[in-house]
Amino acid sequence: MVKDMFQPDIVRGMKFWPASNNKIHYVGRWTTAPNRLRIDGTFPGVYFDLNVTNTTSVMLSLHNSKDANHAANLALAEAAPIGHGERYSFSAAGRLRVSAPPVSLLALVDESEYVVLPNATGLASIKMKDLDASKYHTIRIIAPMTDNGNGAVQMDGLWLDAGGQLLAVEGSVADTVHDEMDDFDAESESVGKKHRLGLSRLLLGHDASDITLKKHGFDPEEEDHEEGDLKRRKKVLEIVTDHPAHAIGGFDNSIRQKTAGLLSGVMGWDYLVGEMFGVDHVTVGVEGMCMLQSCVNGTGSPHGLADVFFRSGPADSPHFNHPWAFSSYVPDVLIFNVGSTDHYSMSKYGAYYDRSFMDFYGDFENNLIGLIKAIRAIAYPTHPATIEMLRLGVESFAEDNAPATIPIFVMRPFRGELEHASQNVVRRLREEGDRSVFWIDTSGWLDFEGFETTQPDIVEEEAEEEPGVPVEPVKYHLTEQGNQKVAIYLQMHVCRYLATTDENCPFLPPEVYQGSVFDPSVATFERYIENEKERQMREIFWADEDEEVLVNEKKEL
């Protein structure tokens, strides 16, 4: 109601929809204010989807401000005392009232061309008087944060034409029933029940009578029903990496503010692989951040990626002070692409570490193993298919091929850094009984040198000379072509977990499905067997021809 009393001229006569409206489908790590008046997205690559109709205009209402000072806001939040209650209520002085700096966004309308919103603050226009009100339109708002994630999207809400409507996003598990009070009054008691993100409302003891089978397209009294009615939930892919593609736009200062740099956030492998399957995709990625704590010259040090995974924002964000609510979403597949930054730090600044390479690699293994075990026990103890099954109350309709636990993939870093350590992580976990953790061998995926007619799949940064520090190794980023290659190769491994049907998924050898670690001795033996088969086949079919060739050669001599 306050928004209606103080409308800017540009939105005069339009209708305001608060950010807490659950027909807005948020994907990624978004943090909701206790009064539900604002929702903040702090990790690079967060986005939200919405469907609108009966409107010619769509405008975003952001809390971001041109006058905001990121460093000052962060210092204010860190300086405020955080008691037990304050940590969860965000009630420390100024923690929610301060504005974040401007943030550059991308808007995709009806899957056409991207609309670039550079340095967006306050009211940001997505479409103004040029939408067909008689049709419904799909809109996605993405925050690539190509400045290495030093920002936040502070979402207040949307403005639509009077009479405009928000429609439920297909695959979202949020309620599709609203009343007018819910749409406008963000502080009503019913808001706390209905305006939840992702699966959180399902895990907080929602009354079973409120979630009926008929509501979800299934009538138990009918004998004939479509199995697809019970598979409306949109699957989720989560990726944890120290090599997010959004960093391409910020690694060269000359293109940081250009459109090409901003578009890098939607051209990276971590974004593309999710789009291949049409699933929600979440990236917990911080460029240059180690898995290990107290990493020399690492982003966010002394914190590591294992710390960030359990927080609501990156280490330089005020939301880092708050634990992440894992009930907000549960992924169907979790992928780790980590280790390159740890290897870079140890190789370049080894003199600052009071330990050997072997000790360092052992610490990396133990850290990643501990994180995966914590994820199994605390973050995602239940597969989302089971959660959906319980939500619908039809246990017999669980997917037959749904794994018992979330499949976790550990990728070999692109240049092979810490390759053996990543292998050992999978081997040790599988020996302890975790059969849903797999290792992905990325060797041969990328071309690091390029040919006369092609460009390499990576771009190296210019090495900065530091006294007493070796020039090598240097940091690198994947090119657009390199990102596409990684996404194509990676989709083969996760296809049977994310595809609507696995009939079109490529077949991989059983050892790949089982996550078997590459054994050089076994590979050598297999090559020997193949060579021996070839030799015997030649003797059977071409022995006579070979003898004639030898006789002729002797005659010529």
Side-chain angles (χ1 to χ4, degrees):
M1 297 302 179
V2 176
K3 291 283 184 181
D4 295 331
M5 295 172 59
F6 301 98
Q7 288 184 356
D9 292 338
I10 193 172
V11 295
R12 186 71 62 184
M14 299 179 70
K15 177 181 179 181
F16 180 73
W17 299 73
S20 56
N21 189 295
N22 69 348
K23 289 185 179 178
I24 303 174
H25 182 59
Y26 293 94
V27 180
R29 298 203 170 184
W30 294 80
T31 302
T32 309
N35 59 9
R36 314 202 67 80
L37 290 177
R38 198 180 81 220
I39 297 179
D40 295 350
T42 54
F43 277 98
V46 294
Y47 66 92
F48 61 86
D49 295 327
L50 54 101
N51 294 333
V52 300
T53 189
N54 201 33
T55 184
T56 62
S57 304
V58 179
M59 298 192 70
L60 295 181
S61 178
L62 304 175
H63 198 69
N64 300 71
S65 171
K66 294 181 180 180
D67 299 327
N69 184 299
H70 176 72
N73 293 344
L74 179 61
L76 173 62
E78 291 179 344
I82 305 176
H84 177 73
E86 293 172 337
R87 179 176 295 275
Y88 295 95
S89 68
F90 288 81
S91 59
R95 184 159 298 146
L96 284 183
R97 292 190 295 273
V98 295
S99 298
V103 60
S104 295
L105 304 174
L106 293 174
L108 182 63
V109 181
D110 293 332
E111 299 184 358
S112 56
E113 295 181 353
Y114 284 98
V115 177
V116 180
L117 305 174
N119 300 319
T121 59
L123 293 174
S125 175
I126 306 301
K127 287 289 183 178
M128 201 64 183
K129 304 301 182 183
D130 54 355
L131 285 179
D132 186 346
S134 64
K135 298 179 180 179
Y136 86 91
H137 305 274
T138 62
I139 300 176
R140 171 170 293 183
I141 307 297
I142 311 157
M145 300 186 196
T146 54
D147 56 349
N148 201 25
N150 295 325
V153 185
Q154 295 182 324
M155 178 71 173
D156 284 335
L158 302 167
W159 289 96
L160 305 179
D161 289 349
Q165 291 294 323
L166 280 178
L167 305 177
V169 175
E170 182 180 2
S172 173
V173 297
D175 278 346
T176 58
V177 179
H178 286 71
D179 53 39
E180 287 300 308
M181 184 59 69
D182 287 337
D183 290 340
F184 287 98
D185 189 359
E187 299 185 10
S188 65
E189 294 181 358
S190 59
V191 168
K193 297 179 182 178
K194 291 193 174 184
H195 294 168
R196 303 286 187 186
L197 304 183
L199 295 173
S200 60
R201 56 179 288 280
L202 307 177
L203 303 177
L204 297 177
H206 200 88
D207 183 30
S209 63
D210 187 50
I211 305 177
T212 64
L213 297 180
K214 290 184 178 180
K215 179 178 176 181
H216 295 278
F218 175 74
D219 190 343
E221 297 179 358
E222 296 181 4
E223 295 182 0
D224 297 329
H225 60 273
E226 294 292 336
E227 186 177 357
D229 291 341
L230 301 178
K231 297 182 180 180
R232 297 177 60 188
R233 179 187 64 87
K234 207 170 186 180
K235 293 185 177 181
V236 180
L237 167 67
E238 184 168 34
I239 296 175
V240 181
T241 180
D242 60 347
H243 230 92
H246 73 266
I248 302 174
F251 111 95
D252 185 347
N253 289 332
S254 63
I255 64 173
R256 178 175 296 181
Q257 299 298 331
K258 294 184 178 180
T259 302
L262 192 61
L263 288 173
S264 66
V266 295
M267 296 166 63
W269 66 272
D270 48 343
Y271 188 91
L272 293 176
V273 70
E275 290 298 293
M276 287 181 174
F277 298 103
V279 301
D280 292 340
H281 41 88
V282 182
T283 300
V284 181
V286 182
E287 167 72 9
M289 191 170 205
C290 297
M291 275 294 299
L292 296 176
Q293 295 177 332
S294 302
C295 176
V296 178
N297 203 35
T299 303
S301 186
H303 305 292
L305 275 174
D307 302 311
V308 172
F309 184 81
F310 288 92
R311 317 307 293 181
S312 296
D316 62 350
S317 163
H319 291 286
F320 182 77
N321 294 325
H322 306 278
W324 171 245
F326 288 101
S327 58
S328 295
Y329 64 83
V330 179
D332 293 80
V333 173
L334 178 59
I335 298 176
F336 282 95
N337 176 256
V338 296
S340 61
T341 302
D342 297 82
H343 179 268
Y344 171 85
S345 177
M346 183 63 184
S347 301
K348 196 174 185 69
Y349 304 100
Y352 295 90
Y353 288 94
D354 188 21
R355 50 185 162 177
S356 65
F357 269 94
M358 293 303 297
D359 292 335
F360 185 85
Y361 295 158
D363 291 342
F364 175 85
E365 289 181 26
N366 294 333
N367 188 282
L368 184 51
I369 289 175
L371 174 58
I372 293 176
K373 288 183 176 180
I375 290 173
R376 294 282 195 218
I378 302 173
Y380 308 129
T382 307
H383 191 275
T386 304
I387 298 175
E388 181 75 354
M389 180 178 62
L390 296 175
R391 178 174 75 96
L392 299 178
V394 281
E395 299 185 12
S396 60
F397 286 96
E399 298 180 37
D400 295 334
N401 61 346
T405 56
I406 296 172
I408 297 178
F409 293 87
V410 179
M411 297 175 64
R412 167 189 176 271
F414 298 127
R415 272 189 165 177
E417 312 97 315
L418 297 184
E419 174 178 349
H420 298 296
S422 64
Q423 288 178 334
N424 287 335
V425 168
V426 174
R427 176 185 59 80
R428 290 169 58 183
L429 286 169
R430 292 182 70 85
E431 287 177 352
E432 294 179 14
D434 190 341
R435 310 304 292 178
S436 292
V437 60
F438 311 103
W439 183 70
I440 299 180
D441 186 2
T442 64
S443 58
W445 286 15
L446 300 173
D447 173 23
F448 295 103
E449 301 297 333
F451 298 97
E452 294 182 359
T453 58
T454 61
Q455 297 295 323
D457 296 328
I458 68 166
V459 176
E460 293 184 344
E461 290 188 18
E462 295 183 4
E464 298 181 2
E465 296 186 5
E466 301 179 50
V469 177
V471 176
E472 297 290 341
V474 295
K475 293 184 178 181
Y476 65 93
H477 298 278
L478 302 184
T479 62
E480 180 179 346
Q481 173 180 286
N483 278 287
Q484 292 173 357
K485 283 185 177 181
V486 171
I488 291 172
Y489 283 118
L490 189 57
Q491 66 90 20
M492 295 190 300
H493 292 270
V494 300
C495 181
R496 67 193 188 112
Y497 298 106
L498 294 178
T500 304
T501 172
D502 58 6
E503 294 178 357
N504 297 324
C505 292
F507 173 78
L508 298 179
E511 58 268 20
V512 176
Y513 283 128
Q514 296 167 6
S516 300
V517 176
F518 175 75
D519 188 340
S521 61
V522 174
T524 303
F525 179 73
E526 290 177 349
R527 282 196 297 270
Y528 168 77
I529 295 297
E530 291 298 324
N531 292 336
E532 185 65 17
K533 288 180 180 179
E534 181 180 354
R535 186 186 65 79
Q536 293 181 9
M537 294 295 288
R538 289 182 62 86
E539 289 181 355
I540 294 173
F541 294 101
W542 293 287
D544 295 338
E545 295 180 5
D546 292 342
E547 290 178 1
E548 291 180 3
V549 172
L550 291 174
V551 171
N552 293 333
E553 289 179 351
K554 289 181 179 179
K555 289 181 178 180
E556 293 177 358
L557 294 174

